[in-house]
DNA sequence: ATGCGGACCTGTTAGC
DNA sequence: TGCTAACAGGTCCGCA
């Protein structure tokens, strides 16, 4: 589920309910996520107040006075705020229960997500220290991408999906951004011109901004009902549209596999 | 340094 | 209709 816009939408959805609240209790029903959930959080967190919920790339950072809880949703993870008497469903692996009787609940069928505890500055954490810029940051622009990509032989698609170069461009947005920029996904990153990188950087910003906006509108009440996190329904141009007509030229959308990931593009509109 | 393939999991869907 | 295989929105790690 989560691409960057969904993580940001999740952050906006959960934060008002739990920020400033004090943890009562931590429940770990299954610690076998991508990395073992540190059992120490069960004794470290109770009594501590959640100071802020921020985001770096697709990581959520829950700041406490004595450290930071890092949460990544992997491929299938989601977070919701529920009343603490809400019965856990299958795959509800971790609960942070707060003094206001609300509970932040991590649901993750595939368990590619992670929950980690760190006492160092998050930006120095192993998993965060080498991350590239946020796509919506000013420092992320065509010039930056062009400079970084000189002599790189990887495909442009893999290049923009590499979080060392820029965070948050997942498999859907990679295809969508390249379509918008008119760049063929297999083109070598080092052979794309500055001009085209400017188009690409703008395309990435546009797509991600639009997605965050839409995520924000579909997300309603995190505490209620089925609690489905607002999932993003943008009008996709190419992703998942193999064989369908390109919205720009009418030619059939092509599909291939790159780096074990499905890739969609239009051979007429993307060179 | 760069680039590639494998690894981690379960649920849903496509295809026979 | 039912079974099986392929595939899914991520990304780290180890190896060549």
């Amino acid at each position: 589920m989560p691409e960057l816009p969904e993580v940001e939408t999740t952050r906006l959805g959960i934060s008002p309910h739990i920020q400033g609240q004090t943890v009562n209790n931590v429940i770990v029903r299954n610690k076998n996520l991508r990395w073992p959930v540190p059992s120490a959080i069960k004794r470290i967190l109770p009594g501590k107040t959640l100071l802020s919920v921020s985001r770096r790339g697709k990581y959520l950072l829950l700041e406490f006075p004595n450290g930071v809880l890092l949460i990544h949703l992997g491929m299938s993870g989601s977070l919701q705020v529920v009343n603490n008497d809400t019965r856990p469903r299958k795959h509800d692996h971790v609960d942070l229960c707060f003094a206001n009787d609300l509970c932040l609940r991590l649901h993750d069928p595939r368990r590619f997500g992670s929950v980690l505890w760190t006492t160092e500055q998050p930006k120095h954490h192993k998993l965060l220290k080498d991350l590239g810029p946020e796509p919506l940051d000013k420092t992320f622009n065509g010039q930056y991408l062009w400079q970084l990509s000189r002599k790189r032989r990887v495909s442009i698609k893999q290049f923009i999906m590499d979080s060392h170069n820029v965070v948050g461009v997942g498999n859907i947005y990679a295809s969508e951004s390249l379509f918008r920029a008119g760049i063929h996904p297999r083109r070598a990153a080092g052979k794309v011109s500055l001009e085209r990188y400017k188009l690409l950087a703008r395309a990435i910003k546009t797509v991600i901004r639009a997605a965050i906006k839409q995520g924000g509108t579909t997300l309603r009440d995190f505490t209620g009902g089925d609690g489905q996190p607002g999932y993003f329904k943008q009008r996709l141009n190419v992703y998942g549209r193999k064989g369908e007509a390109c919205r720009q030229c009418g030619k059939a959308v092509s599909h291939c596999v790159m780096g074990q990931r499905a890739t969609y593009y239009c051979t007429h509109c993307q060179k």
Side-chain angles (χ1 to χ4, degrees):
Chain A
M1 308 230 160
E3 296 232 5
L4 184 147
E6 284 217 336
V7 178
E8 179 62 11
T9 300
T10 295
R11 186 183 78 77
L12 294 170
I14 65 174
S15 179
H17 299 290
I18 58 174
Q19 185 168 353
Q21 295 296 323
T22 299
V23 175
N24 262 355
N25 187 22
V26 177
I27 301 169
V28 180
R29 296 185 194 82
N30 186 347
K31 65 173 173 57
N32 299 312
L33 303 188
R34 171 148 201 188
W35 292 287
V37 177
S39 57
I41 61 174
K42 288 184 274 187
R43 60 174 169 77
I44 289 174
L45 287 180
K48 301 297 189 299
T49 298
L50 175 60
L51 302 175
S52 68
V53 183
S54 57
R55 178 186 62 73
R56 178 71 177 100
K58 293 175 187 166
Y59 290 90
L60 286 168
L61 285 65
L62 277 60
E63 184 201 355
F64 290 92
N66 54 338
V68 175
L69 195 68
L70 298 176
I71 301 179
H72 196 289
L73 300 176
M75 289 276 248
S76 58
S78 61
L79 283 169
Q80 62 176 135
V81 174
V82 297
N83 292 312
N84 66 4
D85 59 359
T86 306
R87 271 241 208 82
R89 300 165 297 164
K90 198 177 178 185
H91 305 304
D92 284 346
H93 305 310
V94 180
D95 284 359
L96 286 194
C97 305
F98 292 91
N100 62 354
D101 290 338
L102 293 180
C103 175
L104 180 68
R105 184 164 281 175
L106 174 70
H107 178 85
D108 186 4
R110 289 177 74 180
R111 288 188 275 118
F112 287 174
S114 50
V115 174
L116 297 170
W117 175 252
T118 180
T119 52
E120 62 185 338
Q121 275 214 33
K123 66 179 174 185
H124 296 143
H125 190 275
K126 189 183 174 191
L127 295 175
L128 303 185
K129 68 182 170 65
D130 294 321
L131 292 180
E134 293 287 325
L136 299 183
D137 198 277
K138 269 187 295 194
T139 60
F140 176 73
N141 55 38
Q143 177 73 34
Y144 163 82
L145 279 180
W146 178 79
Q147 207 155 1
L148 192 64
S149 62
R150 292 310 85 191
K151 313 229 165 131
R152 296 291 305 274
R153 303 161 76 123
V154 280
S155 71
I156 183 70
K157 185 186 182 224
Q158 282 168 289
F159 185 75
I160 59 171
M161 285 182 69
D162 184 340
S163 63
H164 297 101
N165 302 327
V166 57
V167 296
V169 181
N171 197 40
I172 292 177
Y173 300 146
S175 282
E176 292 297 310
S177 307
L178 288 166
F179 173 80
R180 286 188 79 100
I183 302 170
H184 194 288
R186 281 201 191 277
R187 181 162 291 273
K191 292 193 168 177
V192 174
S193 71
L194 174 58
E195 277 316 301
R196 303 185 83 200
Y197 268 121
K198 288 181 178 173
L199 289 174
L200 180 56
R202 268 183 233 133
I204 289 170
K205 286 173 194 281
T206 303
V207 169
I208 286 187
R209 243 188 238 117
I212 290 175
K213 214 169 171 180
Q214 296 200 16
T217 63
T218 48
L219 192 79
R220 288 276 175 253
D221 187 1
F222 259 71
T223 65
D226 60 5
Q228 281 298 312
Y231 88 85
F232 166 70
K233 280 191 209 159
Q234 197 198 0
R235 234 178 124 73
L236 296 169
N237 282 304
V238 284
Y239 188 87
R241 299 191 62 238
K242 175 185 182 182
E244 294 176 41
C246 171
R247 300 193 200 285
Q248 218 161 248
C249 75
K251 205 177 163 193
V253 170
S254 302
H255 165 269
C256 70
V257 174
M258 295 178 62
Q260 297 129 275
R261 311 301 297 275
T263 305
Y264 300 86
Y265 58 100
C266 171
T267 54
H268 180 260
C269 299
Q270 295 173 254
K271 301 294 180 188

